[in-house]
Amino acid sequence: MSNLTFSIPYIHHQVEDVPADVKTLCLSAKQATSLSYSPYSKFQVGASARLTDGKIIQAANMENAAYPQCLCAEAVLLGSLHSQYPGQQIEAVGIAVTTDRELKGVAAPCGSCRQQLFEAENRQGAPIKLYLLAAEGDVYEFADMKSLLPFGFVL
Ligand code: THU
């Protein structure tokens, strides 16, 4: 028998201290919250991806009165990538949230979005860095998606 554990490495920054390309990505994610259609949760999630050619694409969550049909910002982002920029790879994703509620901690991708980003990373064969922009300008950096989803599902 072996007792094993996973730990998730991450770096905590302040947005004013990160390199210019990371700051641009985080601020783009923040700006993308304005694209959100979220009349039900009033929880605007913005996601931006920096592609290998340097382009930044934006997406936001899109809700529906039939709640299970709500789309997370990350899923909209990946759908947009595959249909609008086929063949392009993602270097990094930034995520930000705006809401009128007080957020407990940082808003991190849900399990389903982790699985989708994890598969995108496997598919492109190169890491997708993740930056979460929290309140007060804290930025949490993850080197790749596999570290954020131990035992991700693969077929
Ligand atoms: N949401 C995202 O956009 N990404 C996540 O990773 C988790 C949740 C959205 C879905 C819904 O529109 C709102 O946040 C509240 O759950």
Side-chain angles (χ1 to χ4, degrees), residues 38 41 43 45 61 63 70-74 108-110 113:
S38 44
S41 73
F43 195 79
V45 184
N61 55 329
E63 299 188 344
C70 292
L71 297 174
C72 289
E74 298 89 330
C110 70
C113 290

Side-chain angles (χ1 to χ4, degrees), residues 1-148:
M1 190 190 92
S2 319
N3 286 312
L4 306 171
T5 49
F6 272 110
S7 58
I8 300 183
Y10 65 99
I11 304 170
H12 178 208
H13 309 266
Q14 288 301 316
V15 72
E16 58 268 21
D17 300 331
V18 297
D21 59 340
V22 175
K23 190 171 179 181
T24 301
L25 186 66
C26 290
L27 296 181
S28 168
K30 187 86 180 167
Q31 189 198 38
T33 62
S34 66
L35 304 172
S36 170
Y37 172 65
S38 44
Y40 306 104
S41 73
K42 300 195 170 38
F43 195 79
Q44 293 92 33
V45 184
S48 286
R50 189 177 63 243
L51 309 183
T52 34
D53 68 356
K55 191 189 303 297
I56 292 186
I57 63 171
Q58 294 179 308
N61 55 329
M62 193 174 80
E63 299 188 344
N64 192 277
Y67 292 171
Q69 293 184 29
C70 292
L71 297 174
C72 289
E74 298 89 330
V76 176
L77 185 76
L78 289 175
S80 166
L81 174 80
H82 290 298
S83 50
Q84 303 295 316
Y85 306 95
Q88 282 276 349
Q89 296 193 353
I90 300 178
E91 279 179 2
V93 168
I95 295 173
V97 168
T98 57
T99 178
D100 50 10
R101 252 170 282 161
E102 200 179 325
L103 278 177
K104 295 191 196 85
V106 62
C110 70
S112 166
C113 290
R114 289 181 201 205
Q115 175 68 27
Q116 292 201 37
L117 289 163
F118 170 80
E119 182 150 333
E121 177 173 272
N122 288 343
R123 197 170 164 207
Q124 69 178 29
I128 297 178
K129 285 193 197 146
L130 181 68
Y131 297 94
L132 307 179
L133 179 63
E136 317 297 340
D138 295 280
V139 175
Y140 296 88
E141 173 183 349
F142 299 84
D144 51 33
M145 287 311 305
K146 74 171 178 302
S147 57
L148 207 60

